[in-house]
Amino acid sequence: MEGGAYGAGKAGGAFDPYTLVRQPHTILRVVSWLFSIVVFGSIVNEGYLNSASEGEEFCIYNRNPNACSYGVAVGVLAFLTCLLYLALDVYFPQISSVKDRKKAVLSDIGVSAFWAFLWFVGFCYLANQWQVSKPKDNPLNEGTDAARAAIAFSFFSIFTWSLTAALAVRRFKDLSFQEEYSTLFPASAQP
């Protein structure tokens, strides 16, 4: 890579969408974004059932409305978080201060690790509620594929968010090295 640590040599330069799209953390963030759409979309579309004998709809996960609400809330909030950090990824090369870059990367580490944890909790919760669901509540197996998809993509999201956090740790180490190098060799820090 040209210049300093993780784009520091290009700070203030023109936006390059090709470089942005090729970066692993951007790819993982887009994949996480798609996974969150699948989770909340499948629960919203087919996660609630109507019973012929009852007038109200109920959650497919063991008739537990909290399970559906958690899946939808985590999915929607992860969707919005991905959009926020994709915007930060676009803006990141424009940040000229190494200290500000470090703050952005530290927030990325914390948020990504937090979302990996939330997806782990969501996977365990949805899988447990699906396991204890009674077949008599859904005799026609309506929405079962969507329920399984939400569980599966919750599981996959654990890994995408964990990898995003790991890549952010690597970015942080690169920025820390750049800051130390700039302090030790101020004349040769920027070409």
Side-chain angles (χ1 to χ4, degrees):
M1 206 170 256
E2 298 174 14
Y6 205 78
K10 296 181 184 178
F15 173 66
D16 184 14
Y18 183 68
T19 302
L20 176 72
V21 172
R22 291 185 340 175
Q23 295 174 346
H25 66 274
T26 304
I27 295 168
L28 279 172
R29 220 176 296 283
V30 169
V31 170
S32 297
W33 181 70
L34 292 173
F35 287 177
S36 68
I37 292 172
V38 170
V39 171
F40 82 79
S42 61
I43 294 174
V44 166
N45 287 330
E46 296 185 35
Y48 293 94
L49 300 175
N50 290 325
S51 174
S53 61
E54 299 173 25
E56 287 187 30
E57 60 184 15
F58 59 90
C59 179
I60 197 168
Y61 296 102
N62 194 29
R63 291 184 169 251
N64 184 349
N66 293 331
C68 285
S69 296
Y70 184 86
V72 170
V74 168
V76 169
L77 292 175
F79 172 83
L80 295 173
T81 303
C82 285
L83 290 179
L84 176 73
Y85 277 90
L86 279 170
L88 180 64
D89 288 343
V90 169
Y91 180 66
F92 192 78
Q94 305 300 321
I95 302 172
S96 59
S97 170
V98 174
K99 290 192 184 289
D100 290 340
R101 285 173 176 249
K102 283 176 77 171
K103 289 177 187 175
V105 173
L106 279 173
S107 75
D108 191 10
I109 293 169
V111 168
S112 297
F114 178 69
W115 278 105
F117 172 74
L118 287 180
W119 281 115
F120 175 74
V121 170
F123 166 72
C124 292
Y125 189 37
L126 293 177
N128 176 264
Q129 292 301 303
W130 181 248
Q131 180 184 8
V132 297
S133 294
K134 298 167 191 70
K136 69 177 177 96
D137 288 339
N138 189 7
L140 300 176
N141 288 329
E142 297 173 276
T144 56
D145 290 338
R148 289 184 188 117
I151 293 169
F153 283 94
S154 294
F155 180 72
F156 300 150
S157 293
I158 297 167
F159 297 105
T160 58
W161 283 98
S162 297
L163 285 171
T164 303
L167 288 174
V169 168
R170 189 181 77 188
R171 285 170 65 181
F172 182 73
K173 287 179 182 178
D174 291 345
L175 286 170
S176 295
F177 173 76
Q178 177 65 27
E179 184 178 37
E180 289 176 24
Y181 187 82
S182 298
T183 304
L184 293 173
F185 307 105
S188 63
Q190 296 293 330

